[in-house]
Amino acid sequence: MPMTAAHHKARALKPGSPRPAKTLCSECGLCDTYYIHYVKEACAFLNQQFETLEQQSHGRARDLDNWDECYFGVHQEMMAARKTEPIPGAQWTGIVSTIAIALLESGRVEGVVCVQNSQSDRFTPKPVIARTREEILAARVNKPTLSPNLSVLEQVEQAGLKRLLVIGVGCQIQALRAVQDKLGLEKLYVLGTPCVDNVTRAGLQKFLETTSRSPETVIYYEFMQDFRVHFKHSDGSTETVPFFGLKTNQLKDVFAPSCMSCFDYVNGLADLVVGYMGAPLGWQWLVVRNERGQEMLDLVRDQLEIQPVTSAGDRHAAVQQSIPAYDKGVTLPMWAAKLVGLVIERIGPKGLEYARFSIDSHFTRNYLYVRRNYPQKLAAHVPAFAKKIVDQYQLPAQ
Ligand code: FAD
Ligand code: SF4
């Protein structure tokens, strides 16, 4: 790429200065680089353009007449998988880190954009371009906070990297896809995770303090398929809190406005997505979107145990009931929350139906949030697939 490209004249914003997307900024990192030049088109919160970017990334937009595509995005295959030898300390079994290592060590990429944590704080994100197995492993496990993964993009061009893997969540990947042709790369692999309900570092503190018995010792947490939040503590113990017992009234304002306005839960633009919510407890859920995603999966297939995805139950009644609860911030007493959790776990949605349950609950909540707080953005910001999902439910009039 000639060093005269338009973005070279742009200047990154200073840390802490207002961002173009204002309150909706998810701190994806783009504006920490000279690629801010493209922010008006690239920012996920200023310019919703799933159809165009799906077309660019996968050769076609998702088929809205096919419910599986409407929910899970363009894909050629889905499965449940887990590593036969899990990586200790990974979020689940470490499939993401394993794929990154395989791409690097096979020479397919020269570097991996991923996020480690700062030395002083387990939950403060530190994006890096990893060039060794050790640096990739140091990025394992979720940083459950907004993370400026794209802030290292300038270094990609400066280091002259030509083949790159980027690991990221939906908002980061949307901006990345919009600028990928400007990075001077010959090949880009994109490995995504689903993402929902993220928080600032301060918001995370509030979540831990309202929800966990010992906020300062939490080293990991996840909202699991058994309708409980699982916290792991530094002494090795596990604490579980039922979803229905969360102090929704106090937590209402904890999630970042960007995440309350996001409809890309399943990371529709990545080549391959690795999550958990469409799989049985203990397993990970893989969505292969295109041939590049298939290539990544094939590299590590011999390290995985694989089974087909399944689906059971009917989410609709539970989602419809959750709408006013979310909206009004109702909190059940703990005994009732445990009871509801137990019943729902026995008879409730499982496998892909659990994933649909989670998508429906979040999309209806987020639709109401955008309608209330950003009414002028509603029509353009909510993609057609999300509108179709939300339209299955009765929403409060205002
Ligand atoms: P690991 O091998 O442990 O690797 C984790 C990778 O994630 C690392 O490479 C790291 O660079 C990257 N990463 C960590 N934190 C961030 C961050 N904040 N932003 C961008 N990249 C990051 N899956 C679901 O199915 N449903 C959900 O609701 C869901 N919510 C999530 C919410 C958040 C905030 C995040 C970060 C992930 C979420 N996931 C969700 C994905 C899931 O929790 C696991 O990350 C995924 O299954 C990979 O597990 P692993 O063991 O293979 O990852
Ligand atoms: Fe910039 Fe990203 Fe924030 Fe949008 S979300 S304003 S692209 S840092």
Side-chain angles (χ1 to χ4, degrees):
M1 166 177 295
M3 283 310 282
T4 51
H7 55 259
H8 292 124
K9 297 208 182 98
R11 283 270 166 277
L13 290 180
K14 295 212 173 70
S17 59
R19 308 275 128 167
K22 303 193 178 96
T23 46
L24 279 178
C25 173
S26 70
E27 294 168 31
C28 77
L30 189 84
C31 294
D32 301 324
T33 71
Y34 47 51
Y35 297 105
I36 188 180
H37 182 75
Y38 305 105
V39 67
K40 271 197 202 147
E41 301 86 57
C43 175
F45 303 96
L46 295 175
N47 184 27
Q48 184 279 109
Q49 50 169 342
F50 282 104
E51 263 194 58
T52 312
L53 293 178
E54 280 176 344
Q55 189 77 41
Q56 173 198 308
S57 312
H58 313 311
R60 65 181 180 89
R62 71 183 85 185
D63 175 4
L64 295 188
D65 293 328
N66 171 338
W67 273 113
D68 268 359
E69 290 228 341
C70 203
Y71 272 87
F72 308 126
V74 174
H75 62 276
Q76 51 193 51
E77 204 184 351
M78 285 198 275
M79 67 200 71
R82 60 184 179 198
K83 285 208 67 194
T84 40
E85 286 175 36
I87 296 182
Q91 184 69 15
W92 284 81
T93 70
I95 294 179
V96 167
S97 301
T98 304
I99 291 174
I101 290 170
L103 281 166
L104 187 73
E105 294 189 343
S106 65
R108 283 175 175 76
V109 301
E110 300 157 309
V112 177
V113 172
C114 52
V115 51
Q116 301 174 346
N117 55 278
S118 81
Q119 281 203 325
S120 55
D121 176 26
R122 147 84 190 82
F123 289 124
T124 296
K126 185 180 153 221
V128 296
I129 305 176
R131 310 286 292 264
T132 65
R133 163 187 284 258
E134 289 69 32
E135 286 166 357
I136 292 171
L137 285 173
R140 74 195 187 285
V141 78
N142 289 358
K143 281 29 113 190
T145 44
L146 301 179
S147 172
N149 282 26
L150 301 187
S151 61
V152 296
L153 281 189
E154 265 184 41
Q155 295 166 36
V156 171
E157 205 180 5
Q158 282 155 4
L161 298 184
K162 294 291 172 206
R163 299 186 308 280
L164 188 73
L165 166 68
V166 176
I167 300 173
V169 297
C171 55
Q172 300 157 359
I173 302 307
Q174 286 175 63
L176 172 75
R177 286 299 195 192
V179 302
Q180 73 176 52
D181 293 343
K182 324 284 187 207
L183 304 177
L185 293 172
E186 282 158 15
K187 198 145 190 189
L188 172 67
Y189 292 83
V190 180
L191 178 51
T193 70
C195 183
V196 81
D197 289 352
N198 216 340
V199 288
T200 59
R201 183 64 187 85
L204 175 64
Q205 203 56 33
K206 185 166 176 199
F207 170 72
L208 295 175
E209 280 164 15
T210 23
T211 313
S212 170
R213 62 170 152 76
S214 168
E216 62 290 345
T217 59
V218 171
I219 50 170
Y220 156 110
Y221 72 83
E222 188 78 271
F223 287 72
M224 297 271 197
Q225 299 99 318
D226 61 358
F227 299 88
R228 295 187 183 91
V229 190
H230 290 221
F231 293 99
K232 272 190 209 152
H233 291 278
S234 46
D235 65 1
S237 65
T238 300
E239 170 191 10
T240 65
V241 179
F243 290 177
F244 305 98
L246 292 179
K247 300 189 178 100
T248 332
N249 49 349
Q250 294 176 47
L251 292 175
K252 261 192 123 181
D253 305 323
V254 157
F255 303 125
S258 52
C259 308
M260 295 290 286
S261 316
C262 169
F263 298 93
D264 194 21
Y265 195 169
V266 300
N267 210 325
L269 300 172
D271 298 317
L272 172 68
V273 177
V274 180
Y276 65 88
M277 65 181 171
L281 191 60
W283 290 72
Q284 294 188 257
W285 170 56
L286 272 57
V287 184
V288 182
R289 301 206 181 283
N290 57 34
E291 281 309 314
R292 199 154 289 187
Q294 188 68 50
E295 182 189 341
M296 289 194 248
L297 172 61
D298 289 346
L299 271 181
V300 303
R301 215 174 245 272
D302 60 352
Q303 301 181 52
L304 303 180
E305 206 181 327
I306 291 179
Q307 61 168 334
V309 279
T310 56
S311 186
D314 184 345
R315 70 202 178 273
H316 288 98
V319 174
Q320 186 65 57
Q321 278 160 24
S322 77
I323 293 172
Y326 256 140
D327 207 37
K328 298 205 186 82
V330 177
T331 303
L332 291 179
M334 195 45 89
W335 63 267
K338 284 191 175 144
L339 198 65
V340 174
L342 272 181
V343 173
I344 270 226
E345 196 190 339
R346 293 248 166 81
I347 60 162
K350 292 204 171 48
L352 290 181
E353 188 68 3
Y354 175 86
R356 294 186 197 99
F357 163 80
S358 196
I359 291 170
D360 287 354
S361 326
H362 287 96
F363 279 17
T364 48
R365 182 199 66 181
N366 288 9
Y367 184 84
L368 291 175
Y369 181 85
V370 178
R371 194 177 74 181
R372 195 164 292 152
N373 296 290
Y374 303 93
Q376 72 292 355
K377 281 184 78 72
L378 190 70
H381 183 67
V382 181
F385 62 82
K387 188 68 178 41
K388 184 167 171 181
I389 289 171
V390 169
D391 280 346
Q392 297 171 96
Y393 298 97
Q394 286 185 329
L395 301 183
Q398 261 320 313

